[in-house]
């Protein structure tokens, strides 16, 4: 277990807490999907820069997914995490959660609820769905 320390973001220079807290809570970055290899980032990023870097990497990945390969995607094999991250898993629209493709890809299959950002075959099969 690494201890809590103050670091400066390697991207923007902002000071932030990094590491596990003395009371056993894991570092905030553990709420994010483990999608970076150590060589991707020179040093720790602040929560905002890390979120942005994750969003870019996830969007790049999502853009490679077609409905035909969606059920066998790498996101569904990631460790499950109950924490939803705004801007990565969902966005808010008129006070409602709208789940993004990444959220659905992590699930691993279509839920059948006519989701707007369904990466599976649902929209192709059900052409009357217009959201």
């Amino acid at each position: 277990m690494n201890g809590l320390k103050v670091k400066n973001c390697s991207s923007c220079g902002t000071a932030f807490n990094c590491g596990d807290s003395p009371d056993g809570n894991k570092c905030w970055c553990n709420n994010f999907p483990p999608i970076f290899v150590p060589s991707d980032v020179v040093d720790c990023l602040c929560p905002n820069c890390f979120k942005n870097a994750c969003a870019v990497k996830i969007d790049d990945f999502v853009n490679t997914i077609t409905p035909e390969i969606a059920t066998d995607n790498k996101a569904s094999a990631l460790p499950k995490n109950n924490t939803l991250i705004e801007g990565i898993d969902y966005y808010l629209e008129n006070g409602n959660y709208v789940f993004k493709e990444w959220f659905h890809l992590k699930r691993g299959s279509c839920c059948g609820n006519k989701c707007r950002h369904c990466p599976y075959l649902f929209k192709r099969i059900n052409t009357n769905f217009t959201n």
Side-chain angles (χ1 to χ4, degrees), residues 30-50:
N30 285 293
N31 292 329
F32 286 82
I35 58 173
F36 290 102
V37 292
S39 63
D40 284 348
V41 180
V42 174
D43 199 359
C44 290
L45 297 171
C46 70
N48 190 48
C49 289
F50 192 79

Side-chain angles (χ1 to χ4, degrees), residues 6 9 36 43 47 68 76 79 90 94 97 107-109 117 124:
V6 176
C9 177
F36 290 102
D43 199 359
E68 293 78 18
S76 63
Y90 71 94
N94 299 321
Y97 284 72
R107 174 186 285 131
S109 63
H117 299 291
R124 255 192 218 168

Side-chain angles (χ1 to χ4, degrees), residues 73-128:
N73 79 86
K74 293 178 184 178
S76 63
L78 290 173
K80 302 304 177 204
N81 184 338
N82 292 331
T83 303
L84 297 177
I85 303 169
E86 185 174 1
I88 292 178
D89 293 306
Y90 71 94
Y91 59 89
L92 292 173
E93 182 177 89
N94 299 321
N96 297 311
Y97 284 72
V98 179
F99 293 107
K100 296 177 72 174
E101 290 90 344
W102 177 252
F103 174 84
H104 298 293
L105 289 170
K106 290 190 307 182
R107 174 186 285 131
S109 63
C110 178
C111 64
N113 288 327
K114 301 179 183 178
C115 298
R116 180 181 303 174
H117 299 291
C118 181
Y120 304 100
L121 289 172
F122 192 87
K123 285 194 268 189
R124 255 192 218 168
I125 295 167
N126 301 287
T127 56
N128 292 332

